[in-house]
Amino acid sequence: RINLFSLPSQTAILFWLITATLLGAMLIGLTGTHIIPMWPLALVLLLLPLREFIMRPEREIRQYGLINPRNEEFRALQSLIDTLAKQMGLKRVPQLLIDQNRDEIYEMGSFRRWYIVLGADKAKRQEEFLANPRKAKLAEVLFLHELYHFKNGDYWQLGYLAELFKVSFNLMIWVLLFLGGWGILLVLAKDAFFQFSVADLLQNMPADVRPTMEQILPSLFPSAAEMETLRVKVEGINLDSVLTFIANISVPYVFLAGILWRFYRPLLWRMREFYADAGVFIFQKSIKPFVEFVRRTGQILLQSNPVTTVPSYSAGIQKATDKARILMNGNFWPDFSKRL
């Protein structure tokens, strides 16, 4: 708990390193002289994930039919969230949302609105804990865990990063298709373009419109000197140079993004869950309510969040990637359930 130099948490450090690596790889690929300006690609990659992150709560509320507790239903749970948020000194109080279709627990929010999503069955179980004075501390465990994601600030870091990965892969597919088509078109059409002549075009026009077009067309097409400059620049363009250009832009980014997604994203997700669990222990000044909650519900909080769940793979692939993670990061992830 002692942090004399106010150093950022390991979650924040990992977030900024991953984000800087992704955006840095894109910027490196866009440096240098290109036939078409590529800076809009970096701008889109920076702003589009932010837009998707801000819109995510409203999108999920519509998609999954999330509802606010009505009348007295689950009102005690919202009151508990209000009380805990004030005791923790949070800037705003998260709103409880009930999911009637999924049995999930997770937090989400933008910079102005915070939400805690709870499946209806889990909400009823928490009310049972809260109604029993001997088990009231158990009801706090779940909400404290989610509230500490807001207190630690990792809700927006992980939310933005998830959208950054999604946008990155989708954007790169469209970029590759566009650059591939544009490059091949350039290779096929460059000779015909340089054989084009404004004089030949005017010669084939009707005599009555030719004087007018003689005044207009020269301003629409490059001059002879400009055409010569363009000819020198694209003289060496062929299919190999187009493919090399596409590879230089995309391959480093795709490679780094894949490595970060498969090996370091789970590390970041798991780290933030450890921080939230530690917050529960600190707030309650004991690990006993957490242990009792896990035993009664059969659920480890750090494995319960759908946003932080690592996709399942076949046993062979999972075993190989686990070994690779240990090689790259050390044996960082203990089996926390066995320590309870």
Side-chain angles (χ1 to χ4, degrees):
R1 296 180 59 182
I2 299 177
N3 190 1
L4 298 178
F5 303 102
S6 297
L7 298 175
S9 66
Q10 294 185 46
T11 303
I13 293 173
L14 280 171
F15 164 75
W16 289 113
L17 286 176
I18 292 175
T19 304
T21 302
L22 284 173
L23 297 179
M26 174 60 67
L27 292 175
I28 289 173
L30 300 181
T31 55
T33 303
H34 301 300
I35 299 176
I36 58 176
M38 299 300 295
W39 63 265
L41 182 61
L43 187 62
V44 169
L45 188 62
L46 180 65
L47 297 181
L48 190 57
L50 181 60
R51 173 183 176 272
E52 293 297 315
F53 162 71
I54 293 175
M55 294 179 61
R56 181 198 166 202
E58 299 301 324
R59 186 171 62 245
E60 289 208 5
I61 289 174
R62 293 193 304 268
Q63 181 179 355
Y64 299 112
L66 306 180
I67 60 174
N68 295 327
R70 299 174 181 175
N71 301 324
E72 296 302 319
E73 185 181 22
F74 307 125
R75 183 62 58 84
L77 297 183
Q78 182 63 61
S79 298
L80 176 61
I81 293 174
D82 297 347
T83 301
L84 294 176
K86 292 177 181 178
Q87 292 177 357
M88 293 171 59
L90 296 182
K91 295 179 180 180
R92 56 183 57 86
V93 176
Q95 172 66 51
L96 177 65
L97 295 177
I98 302 300
D99 191 335
Q100 301 286 357
N101 303 311
R102 301 174 301 163
D103 194 26
E104 305 287 4
I105 307 171
Y106 62 98
E107 91 295 333
M108 65 176 181
S110 60
F111 297 114
R112 297 180 59 186
R113 298 178 181 177
W114 295 349
Y115 301 98
I116 294 178
V117 180
L118 193 60
D121 291 340
K122 284 187 171 62
K124 293 176 181 177
R125 185 67 180 274
Q126 295 306 306
E127 278 201 325
E128 293 175 1
F129 285 153
L130 193 58
N132 188 337
R134 295 183 178 181
K135 301 178 181 178
K137 284 288 186 181
L138 303 184
E140 291 183 359
V141 170
L142 183 144
F143 294 111
L144 282 172
H145 177 94
E146 301 303 332
L147 288 171
Y148 265 96
H149 286 308
F150 295 113
K151 186 176 181 63
N152 296 335
D154 57 56
Y155 79 96
W156 73 263
Q157 295 170 351
L158 275 296
Y160 175 81
L161 196 60
E163 299 298 339
L164 178 60
F165 275 116
K166 183 173 69 175
V167 169
S168 297
F169 290 120
N170 292 337
L171 186 62
M172 288 308 300
I173 292 175
W174 287 107
V175 168
L176 291 176
L177 291 175
F178 168 75
L179 291 179
W182 179 85
I184 293 173
L185 178 63
L186 179 63
V187 171
L188 296 176
K190 68 173 185 175
D191 293 336
F193 175 76
F194 288 116
Q195 292 173 3
F196 171 80
S197 170
V198 175
D200 294 339
L201 182 61
L202 291 171
Q203 187 67 30
N204 295 325
M205 287 186 176
D208 56 338
V209 299
R210 190 179 304 162
T212 303
M213 298 306 296
E214 285 178 346
Q215 303 296 324
I216 298 176
L217 286 180
S219 63
L220 300 178
F221 294 92
S223 64
E226 291 172 337
M227 289 291 288
E228 184 61 30
T229 302
L230 288 173
R231 184 180 289 106
V232 172
K233 287 183 177 181
V234 302
E235 200 170 37
I237 292 180
N238 51 40
L239 187 59
D240 289 341
S241 63
V242 169
L243 295 177
T244 301
F245 169 69
I246 296 174
N248 288 339
I249 288 179
S250 60
V251 170
Y253 185 82
V254 172
F255 176 77
L256 284 175
I259 292 295
L260 293 173
W261 171 266
R262 189 64 190 95
F263 296 105
Y264 287 92
R265 180 187 64 97
L267 175 64
L268 177 56
W269 260 250
R270 187 62 60 90
M271 174 61 74
R272 80 153 192 162
E273 299 301 326
F274 283 146
Y275 270 102
D277 288 339
V280 177
F281 308 153
I282 293 172
F283 186 92
Q284 295 187 323
K285 297 181 174 60
S286 173
I287 195 176
K288 292 181 178 179
F290 181 89
V291 174
E292 184 65 20
F293 175 85
V294 171
R295 286 175 177 170
R296 287 181 176 274
T297 61
Q299 181 177 27
I300 302 297
L301 290 178
L302 57 82
Q303 297 173 348
S304 66
N305 192 323
V307 178
T308 63
T309 300
V310 180
S312 59
Y313 295 85
S314 64
I317 296 178
Q318 188 64 52
K319 185 176 181 180
T321 53
D322 287 343
K323 290 182 178 179
R325 286 173 181 162
I326 293 175
L327 177 64
M328 299 173 70
N329 305 313
N331 192 8
F332 181 80
W333 303 321
D335 187 351
F336 194 67
S337 60
K338 292 182 180 179
R339 300 189 177 189
L340 301 177

